[in-house]
Amino acid sequence: KQGNHKGSAGVQADDTGKAIITFASHVHDFGKVSEGGKVGCIFAFQNTGTGSLLINNAVTSCGCTVPKYDTKPIEPGSSGSIEVVLDTSGRSGIQTKSISVYSNASTPVVILQIKAEVITNDAPPVQ
């Protein structure tokens, strides 16, 4: 029998080593921010494995948070980053959002987290 390929067109076989995604930090706290603006941070990571790292997806827990990441393979020893932007419009109080990063690394899902305390300046205090 030849070629048991099931819909894997364009996907490289992972037989050259395993990617390991290592983040410098898994949590970013923006502290106090004003409602209505956008704040962003960058989660830096390194491929500390022996195979190419490919980030397949980054999914957030809320539509107010947008992740940006490079879709090109990251070679062993190279670094990359995931930029996360939080839109504070219409939000108040403590905000905690998670970002699930899916890749071909030995740990296929890594959870990142951002936190912020959104301060509203124009709303009267609730009695």
Side-chain angles (χ1 to χ4, degrees), residues 62-127:
C62 174
C64 64
T65 308
V66 180
K68 294 180 191 170
Y69 58 93
D70 204 342
T71 56
K72 290 184 279 203
I74 294 154
E75 298 307 316
S78 295
S79 299
S81 63
I82 297 176
E83 180 183 1
V84 180
V85 176
L86 170 66
D87 185 350
T88 64
S89 299
R91 310 225 165 248
S92 66
I94 302 290
Q95 304 292 312
T96 302
K97 308 297 176 192
S98 61
I99 303 95
S100 300
V101 180
Y102 297 88
S103 73
N104 68 333
S106 57
T107 304
V109 182
V110 176
I111 307 295
L112 304 176
Q113 198 172 65
I114 57 171
K115 300 176 182 179
E117 183 177 355
V118 181
I119 308 297
T120 54
N121 297 324
D122 54 355
V126 177
Q127 300 278 330

Side-chain angles (χ1 to χ4, degrees), residues 21-37:
I21 189 167
T22 305
F23 281 90
S25 173
H26 288 86
V27 178
H28 181 84
D29 190 341
F30 290 106
K32 293 184 180 187
V33 296
S34 295
E35 186 267 336

Side-chain angles (χ1 to χ4, degrees), residues 3-77:
N4 189 12
H5 302 291
K6 293 184 178 176
S8 60
V11 177
Q12 289 279 318
D14 189 17
D15 58 2
T16 56
K18 198 68 174 162
I20 300 172
I21 189 167
T22 305
F23 281 90
S25 173
H26 288 86
V27 178
H28 181 84
D29 190 341
F30 290 106
K32 293 184 180 187
V33 296
S34 295
E35 186 267 336
K38 291 183 180 181
V39 292
C41 68
I42 292 177
F43 288 96
F45 63 85
Q46 185 172 13
N47 179 359
T48 57
T50 57
S52 295
L53 172 67
L54 186 61
I55 294 179
N56 303 317
N57 204 355
V59 180
T60 62
S61 59
C62 174
C64 64
T65 308
V66 180
K68 294 180 191 170
Y69 58 93
D70 204 342
T71 56
K72 290 184 279 203
I74 294 154
E75 298 307 316

